[in-house]
Amino acid sequence: MKDLFSFLDAAAQDSLKKIAPFLLLFAALVIYIPGSANLPLLDRDEPRFSEATVEMIDRGEWVIPYFNGNYRFDKPALVYWLMRVGYILSCVSELGARLHSIVCVYLVAVVIYCIGLRFFTAQTGLLAGLGWLTCFQTLVHGRLAVADMPMILFVVLAHWGLMELLLKKNRPPWGVFFWVTWLSLGLGFLTKGPIALLVPLLSVLGCCFVFRKKQHLYHRQLQLLPGLALTFFLIACWGIPALVLTKGAFWDVGIGTHVVERGLDAFNGRVPIPGYYFVSAFFSLFPWIAFGVRSYGNCREPFDATAAFLAAWLLNPYFIFLFYKTQLPHYVMPGFAAFFLLLFRKEPDSWCKAEKICWYSVMALWSLILLILVEAAVFFPFSGSLAPLSTVLLALIALVAAMYITSLAVFFRWKVFGRTDVLLFCCIIIIAGSFQVAANELRKINPAIAIKNQIGVPKDVKKIAYGFTEPSLVFYTGERWVFNPDVPIENVLKEENDSPYLVLFLSREWKLDRYVNRLFKGQNPLVPNKDNSADAAALTSIAKANGYKVLTFSGVNVGTSSWAEVAAFVRK
């Protein structure tokens, strides 16, 4: 990584301290703003968070989130308050819903820089912050309308405070880092629950257990009892009203179902995979995972209290979720900051044999992935309504290629106009452009947006959906929906009184995992998972006989990683 930012070598450390936050701000804006306004709400969580914020605003509610007219107990209220600010600044839109994540991903980079500056050097902090901004999982999650980025910000802030209190002598009893630590723990809980408390506190325990020379650790400066009292008082300011208003349901569902049950049983039918998070690190931390052995070496030499704390911080999210049945790659993101601080702790003069083996192994894996993506772009029959997916795939190839070149440039010290940083800046531009292009194309094939634009659903009319029950329908139409009611759809279409204005029916669906599975087995991959086309044809006849207009929509259903065809019956 030597010469990675050679233009800083001649600058004094004082100058670097002044410009580093602005360099991180520039990188964050260039990377995360493109595409965030056009990218349709992804998965099922983004529209739920986005719409719940709208419904809280409409109700004048500050304590209890709602979605589709019902309680939403998944997360505490702080993330919805932050999203309100995004809506104020950028109206009710995709960008407004995601603005809090974009701001937080930048602030995390700044806090990482501050930790690097305080415990190592300004260059360590800057490079670690840039590493955070450019790893694959952050590139994805840093622009999503969910609770993860604010939670990670508070976790990183809490770790900074804990490092200052635990590792540095003569901190004032009620100084700024006392407040930073314990308020961040409380705010982290109010964003995403117990994980924001568990990770920092386990980092302290891990550091104390591994680094046994306890005379170097200043436990009394933590002021554990008053600190915990402050944290739980902050949590109680929201938690007690929430429990009272919901008669305890927020605890039963929010903690019992969404925390405990997900740990004991895989969510949404996912199959737990042994070693999942260690495998996913090859994707989540790309391209920097190729230098993972360097991070390990920097932790060992010297293995002091700071290294022990960072090692505990990095590993304890993996330990926490090792036995957690529901597995998602972003669960371990609270430990990523420690990885980058260790990675850039020292600037190497050369690469040792183990580091070279690690780098070549990771890059070989990603060479294969890049080859598969290119072959898919060449051989997959994109045509008709699938044509935008061809552009999305090309954008993904450009994204992976830019990150791939980033790793090559750092390892081999490639230069453009005599500078490595110029080449890396070009890669950042390609990454930003890839997200913009992919967002534009995905918007064209989003069924919920098409239904909103082509049907123009009026306010306060009855809407029912069978099979296609995506939360994005609620956000984009701004209306309440009845999903999969017990009444058969034939009876609904034949109703003469109180007949619905709009009825949706999932005709056919092709899932990506099934497509890939059939492709490898040499079977026809275009056979749909669900084929209700015969039922759709029969329903069309019934609908037309009862005064409905019939429309057909198709597109990417991101929530289920599938391509869906939807029949829409609209009351004339």
Side-chain angles (χ1 to χ4, degrees):
M1 276 158 273
K2 192 173 179 62
D3 301 324
L4 183 54
F5 284 86
S6 55
F7 75 99
L8 295 175
D9 293 344
Q13 286 294 311
D14 288 342
S15 298
L16 178 55
K17 293 174 187 178
K18 294 177 182 178
I19 66 174
F22 297 101
L23 289 173
L24 293 171
L25 176 61
F26 175 76
L29 292 175
V30 169
I31 295 172
Y32 290 92
I33 293 298
S36 295
N38 292 343
L39 186 68
L41 297 177
L42 303 177
D43 201 25
R44 292 177 170 175
D45 284 336
E46 270 206 300
R48 285 178 176 138
F49 277 100
S50 304
E51 174 61 21
T53 305
V54 172
E55 294 188 28
M56 288 182 74
I57 294 172
D58 291 342
R59 292 170 175 266
E61 176 66 59
W62 288 92
V63 178
I64 309 300
Y66 290 81
F67 174 77
N68 202 27
N70 300 311
Y71 285 142
R72 173 171 165 77
F73 296 130
D74 290 49
K75 299 295 181 290
L78 182 58
V79 64
Y80 304 105
W81 302 343
L82 296 175
M83 292 175 75
R84 280 192 180 206
V85 177
Y87 286 158
I88 292 171
L89 296 175
S90 188
C91 72
V92 178
S93 63
E94 290 91 344
L95 180 60
R98 293 171 172 140
L99 196 58
H100 72 289
S101 285
I102 297 172
V103 171
C104 287
V105 81
Y106 163 67
L107 293 178
V108 170
V110 171
V111 177
I112 291 173
Y113 161 73
C114 291
I115 296 173
L117 175 64
R118 297 278 295 176
F119 289 87
F120 305 111
T121 66
Q123 184 161 317
T124 293
L126 176 60
L127 294 177
L130 289 170
W132 157 259
L133 289 174
T134 53
C135 78
F136 188 81
Q137 195 65 50
T138 308
L139 288 172
V140 175
H141 250 76
R143 64 184 77 242
L144 296 186
V146 292
D148 294 274
M149 277 304 128
M151 180 272 292
I152 293 170
L153 171 61
F154 294 125
V155 168
V156 174
L157 273 171
H159 278 89
W160 182 18
L162 288 169
M163 290 178 73
E164 294 282 351
L165 295 173
L166 191 65
L167 306 180
K168 290 196 173 183
K169 194 175 181 180
N170 298 326
R171 286 284 171 259
W174 297 92
V176 63
F177 289 107
F178 169 85
W179 298 97
V180 166
T181 300
W182 299 106
L183 289 177
S184 294
L185 289 172
L187 293 172
F189 184 96
L190 292 179
T191 305
K192 205 178 176 181
I195 188 63
L197 296 177
L198 195 57
V199 172
L201 295 180
L202 281 182
S203 295
V204 174
L205 293 177
C207 178
C208 294
F209 176 77
V210 174
F211 191 72
R212 298 178 183 276
K213 297 178 182 179
K214 296 185 179 180
Q215 64 268 26
H216 293 282
L217 304 176
Y218 305 102
H219 304 86
R220 293 183 179 180
Q221 293 183 163
L222 294 177
Q223 299 187 78
L224 189 62
L225 292 180
L228 287 174
L230 176 61
T231 295
F232 286 111
F233 172 77
L234 183 60
I235 295 171
C237 289
W238 167 81
I240 292 175
L243 292 176
V244 170
L245 291 173
T246 62
K247 299 180 180 179
F250 219 122
W251 177 270
D252 295 338
V253 179
I255 300 297
T257 299
H258 293 287
V259 176
V260 177
E261 288 187 12
R262 287 190 183 189
L264 299 175
D265 191 19
F267 183 62
N268 282 346
R270 294 183 175 93
V271 178
I273 302 172
Y276 172 86
Y277 291 105
F278 298 102
V279 175
S280 68
F282 286 91
F283 300 88
S284 295
L285 288 167
F286 185 72
W288 306 109
I289 189 62
F291 308 99
V293 172
R294 165 61 54 176
S295 180
Y296 172 72
N298 286 346
C299 179
R300 290 184 60 192
E301 299 177 6
F303 186 68
D304 54 13
T306 303
F309 187 92
L310 291 175
W313 179 4
L314 169 60
L315 294 176
N316 77 65
Y318 287 87
F319 175 77
I320 291 169
F321 290 106
L322 183 64
F323 306 102
Y324 205 75
K325 294 296 185 181
T326 299
Q327 297 173 324
L328 291 171
H330 65 273
Y331 280 178
V332 294
M333 286 186 75
F336 282 13
F339 171 82
F340 290 111
L341 287 165
L342 288 171
L343 177 61
F344 295 105
R345 183 185 185 187
K346 295 186 298 183
E347 188 176 350
D349 294 321
S350 61
W351 304 104
C352 70
K353 184 177 180 180
E355 290 169 345
K356 290 180 179 179
I357 292 173
C358 174
W359 188 87
Y360 281 110
S361 299
V362 173
M363 296 307 289
L365 171 65
W366 276 95
S367 297
L368 178 61
I369 293 171
L370 194 56
L371 178 62
I372 292 172
L373 290 175
V374 171
E375 288 184 349
V378 172
F379 296 109
F380 190 87
F382 291 110
S383 60
S385 59
L386 294 176
L389 286 179
S390 176
T391 308
V392 173
L393 184 55
L394 292 174
L396 178 59
I397 291 171
L399 170 67
V400 173
M403 301 177 76
Y404 189 93
I405 293 171
T406 297
S407 185
L408 292 172
V410 173
F411 190 78
F412 292 110
R413 300 176 186 175
W414 286 355
K415 301 180 187 296
V416 173
F417 302 117
R419 301 164 73 107
T420 303
D421 50 282
V422 173
L423 177 57
L424 297 183
F425 176 75
C426 294
C427 292
I428 286 176
I429 296 298
I430 294 172
I431 290 170
S434 300
F435 275 101
Q436 183 66 57
V437 170
N440 292 340
E441 296 304 308
L442 287 172
R443 194 170 191 85
K444 296 176 183 177
I445 50 177
N446 184 279
I449 294 177
I451 289 168
K452 170 199 171 185
N453 293 338
Q454 295 185 36
I455 296 178
V457 182
K459 294 288 183 182
D460 302 321
V461 295
K462 190 175 180 180
K463 297 163 293 298
I464 301 177
Y466 290 85
F468 188 75
T469 58
E470 294 310 304
S472 54
L473 286 171
V474 184
F475 177 81
Y476 283 114
T477 61
E479 291 289 303
R480 308 290 176 266
W481 283 77
V482 178
F483 291 128
N484 290 335
D486 294 332
V487 181
I489 186 172
E490 296 89 344
N491 296 352
V492 170
L493 294 174
K494 292 177 182 179
E495 287 181 358
E496 296 183 1
N497 298 320
D498 193 31
S499 58
Y501 173 81
L502 173 61
V503 180
L504 300 182
F505 180 75
L506 181 64
S507 301
R508 292 191 296 177
E509 185 178 42
W510 294 263
K511 289 194 174 183
L512 179 62
D513 57 350
R514 178 183 169 93
Y515 173 86
V516 173
N517 186 41
R518 292 182 65 86
L519 190 66
F520 277 108
K521 290 182 178 179
Q523 301 172 345
N524 181 7
L526 299 179
V527 176
N529 291 63
K530 296 180 181 178
D531 190 353
N532 301 318
S533 54
D535 294 333
L539 293 172
T540 297
S541 300
I542 296 173
K544 289 181 176 179
N546 287 274
Y548 283 91
K549 178 172 65 174
V550 181
L551 300 173
T552 302
F553 299 91
S554 62
V556 174
N557 181 2
V558 181
T560 56
S561 301
S562 66
W563 181 270
E565 287 185 0
V566 182
F569 308 118
V570 187
R571 173 68 68 182
K572 295 181 181 178

